[in-house]
Amino acid sequence: MRFVLAIVAFAAAAVMIALGIAQRTVFLEPDRVALQVTAETGDADYLVIDPEALAANPGKQTLTIEGDGSVFLAYGRTSDILAWIGDDQYAEVDYDAEAGELVSRVVDPADEQTTGDASGTDDRAPATEAPAGEAPVEDAVPEGEQAPADAADSAPVSPAGSDLWLDELSEDGPLTTTIDVPAGVSVLVASGTSDAVPDEIAIAWPLDNSTPWVGPLLTGGAIAFLAGLALMISGIVSHRRSRGPRRNLPKGGPRRSRRTQIAQPGPAEDAQPAPQPSTAATPSATGESSTADGPSNAGEPSTAADGPSAAGQSRSTGKRALIAGLVLVPALGLTACSAEYWPSLEQAPETSAPATAPVTATPDDEAEATEAEAAEEVEPAVTVPQMELIMRKLSDSAAAADEARDPGLAAERFAGPALAAREANYAIRGVLPDHPASTAIPAAPLEITLPQQSKAGIWPRTVLTIVKNGDDPTVAPSSLVLVQQSPRDNFKILYAMSLVPDADPPEVAPASIGAPLVSPQSKLLVLAPDQVAAAYADVLTHGAESQYAELFETEGDVLLQQLGPEGQNATNETLPPTADAAYATQAGDSPPIALATNDSGAMISVSLSQTETVTPNDGGTLGFGDGQPGGALSGFTGKSAKGVQREIGIQVLFYVPAVGSDEKIRVLGWSESLIGASEVP
């Protein structure tokens, strides 16, 4: 019976193990699903993969792009990609849900006519206007004249390096990458050179080909195998024992009586004397058997000797089988240790309401729908991942420009007051190498990111960010105001300031929402944004006597202490008696940038200019002196009877409260630098 059960166990083990292995081999489903298309590109220089195509199947998207030459790929918000393309033609790859395949068409935003596999109109709005300097060639050529022969052969504008992209990469040949983009994000494909736009598009998504019953099957098979092995060993041992020697046979009376009967003579032999019993037939004193029993007993020890030998052989066979089982079970166990080989113990999510239950919109649902519609109308100028990438590029570009003291390189990432400060610093350091460099632009971490709320396709765009300046607590965080003039322009730093100690910026909206720009003439603030710079300039000129002094928090204002009447008097005391100094402060030429805060106030960045004029009062002459920044910047190393003057550029970040608030206007951050010097005209 044990052998029958062992055979059944071995058969069950074989079936279970075979099924478990088959699930990971011959029965294994594909681990991905893929769609591909050869796009109709026409004369287009760019190709856009729509969000619908990327979301044709759930999961991450593995893109394979191939063309006749190099491949450039970037992904970003669909509205940003279309705004960057502007009026240029582009190929579009979309998903046909009914056919279950990718389709392509050529889109011409100028007349919204499409050709290719699909027809219709493109209802998505492109950017409001093409960037300056990048108008179509035909618009740049006077009517009646022919465009240059090489105009059509010129390479298209490369989208590489744009601040609009969440990420980008390129290859000289076919490009394969895996991304995980949410709804509303598209992929832009270009060659980046004179090569044709790549048109071989393949998108793959992962499939769940886990086999949760492999583990139970292999484990169950291993257990059945061990059970069969144990039954087989037990059966063999029992069988060997049942065939062992019989050692309890009688050695006395019956055998002796049998020999006696054989030895009795017949009637003819009565006269013959009976033979004498042999001495060997008599038991010895030690109790040993007679010689006559010797042949019979000699066979019994031989049988007894075979019993231990067979038992030892059985034990050896059992040990080998046990070792084989112990090796097989861990091997099978290791093959089933992956989590995808076992059923998930996680509770399945609860299903929604039954199909028979009526579905009605609650007030909360209606409110969320209204908010969603409102959110679709505007979007933040940048996302947080975008801003992190932009700041890394800004930091690297600024460091390279500062090291090279190259104004042209600085102009790629700076504008307005921030650029003027760096250009002057480069000029001074070119003459005085020991002069301090401009404050470095940190890349991270971003403490506050406040992008402007804007509609899709509308530029310029603005972002205010506060970046911690490393781990040194003695270095103040930097407040930067970035402006992007058009889709094909990158963000540039318009204002760069250091926060004052204990600045305590107001609460602002999260970066995913952004904040609206406050109108320069807004009457909802204590002071309109376009009046803040002039009002504070008056405070710097007249101090407490200014008519605007009561609007500003002057206590603890370090900027007022250094560049206001108190600081001006301290400077006058350092001048020789033969010189007089005069100061004039006014609002700068750069426009104010105001972003709303959560308390209906605004953070406003402005620029000011303070001119310091030093003139002789005894009919003598004056100059900047040797080794002075004014002389290094102006190049004027002599002395003049008219005197000399310096221009200080000031950038200030204010918090301006809403009308009716008890708070005053506070200085949150500022920077000042020498931006001009000359002889008095």
Side-chain angles (χ1 to χ4, degrees), residues 387-396 440-449 465-472 477-478 480:
M387 194 62 192
E388 292 173 346
L389 181 60
I390 291 170
M391 287 306 304
R392 288 196 295 269
K393 293 191 291 186
L394 277 170
S395 180
D396 293 343
I441 303 299
L446 305 181
E447 293 188 338
I448 292 179
T449 298
T465 183
I466 294 178
V467 193
K468 190 176 180 181
N469 237 321
D471 297 328
D472 189 352
S478 294
L480 308 174

Side-chain angles (χ1 to χ4, degrees), residues 105-425:
R105 61 176 181 172
V106 175
V107 179
D108 187 351
D111 54 11
E112 297 185 353
Q113 296 296 323
T114 58
T115 60
D117 295 340
S119 61
T121 58
D122 184 14
D123 57 355
R124 295 170 299 178
T128 53
E129 58 182 11
E134 297 180 1
V137 175
E138 59 269 23
D139 293 340
V141 179
E143 185 177 356
E145 296 185 11
Q146 190 173 6
D150 60 348
D153 297 332
S154 61
V157 177
S158 173
S162 174
D163 285 345
L164 295 179
W165 315 144
L166 299 173
D167 199 3
E168 64 180 59
L169 59 158
S170 60
E171 291 288 347
D172 291 335
L175 185 151
T176 299
T177 186
T178 298
I179 60 177
D180 187 8
V181 297
V185 172
S186 295
V187 171
L188 174 66
V189 178
S191 66
T193 64
S194 57
D195 298 331
V197 60
D199 57 357
E200 296 291 338
I201 311 297
I203 311 176
W205 298 265
L207 290 177
D208 182 11
N209 67 340
S210 60
T211 49
W213 290 106
V214 168
L217 285 172
L218 293 182
T219 303
I223 294 174
F225 176 82
L226 289 178
L229 192 63
L231 288 170
M232 182 188 70
I233 295 173
S234 175
I236 292 174
V237 171
S238 177
H239 178 70
R240 291 291 185 183
R241 287 179 178 176
S242 67
R243 298 181 60 188
R246 298 178 180 179
R247 304 187 182 192
N248 296 326
L249 294 176
K251 299 181 180 180
R255 290 191 179 186
R256 186 178 301 276
S257 175
R258 179 170 175 266
R259 286 195 296 269
T260 302
Q261 293 176 0
I262 296 175
Q264 288 179 356
E269 297 176 353
D270 290 344
Q272 295 182 2
Q276 297 293 325
S278 173
T279 57
T282 304
S284 65
T286 59
E288 294 179 354
S289 61
S290 64
T291 304
D293 292 338
S296 174
N297 293 337
E300 291 178 6
S302 175
T303 304
D306 290 344
S309 175
Q313 185 177 4
S314 175
R315 286 193 296 269
S316 177
T317 302
K319 288 181 180 179
R320 287 195 297 269
L322 181 60
I323 292 173
L326 293 177
V327 171
L328 177 61
V329 170
L332 292 176
L334 287 175
T335 61
C337 63
S338 176
E340 65 179 2
Y341 295 167
W342 294 88
S344 176
L345 298 179
E346 297 180 0
Q347 185 176 2
E350 295 183 0
T351 58
S352 58
T356 56
V359 180
T360 57
T362 64
D364 291 340
D365 295 335
E366 294 177 356
E368 291 178 0
T370 302
E371 292 178 0
E373 292 176 359
E376 291 177 356
E377 296 179 358
V378 296
E379 59 186 11
V382 296
T383 63
V384 173
Q386 258 184 289
M387 194 62 192
E388 292 173 346
L389 181 60
I390 291 170
M391 287 306 304
R392 288 196 295 269
K393 293 191 291 186
L394 277 170
S395 180
D396 293 343
S397 179
D402 292 347
E403 183 179 1
R405 300 196 304 269
D406 186 348
L409 187 57
E412 295 180 1
R413 284 296 188 174
F414 291 89
L419 177 60
R422 267 178 157 70
E423 289 176 339
N425 182 267

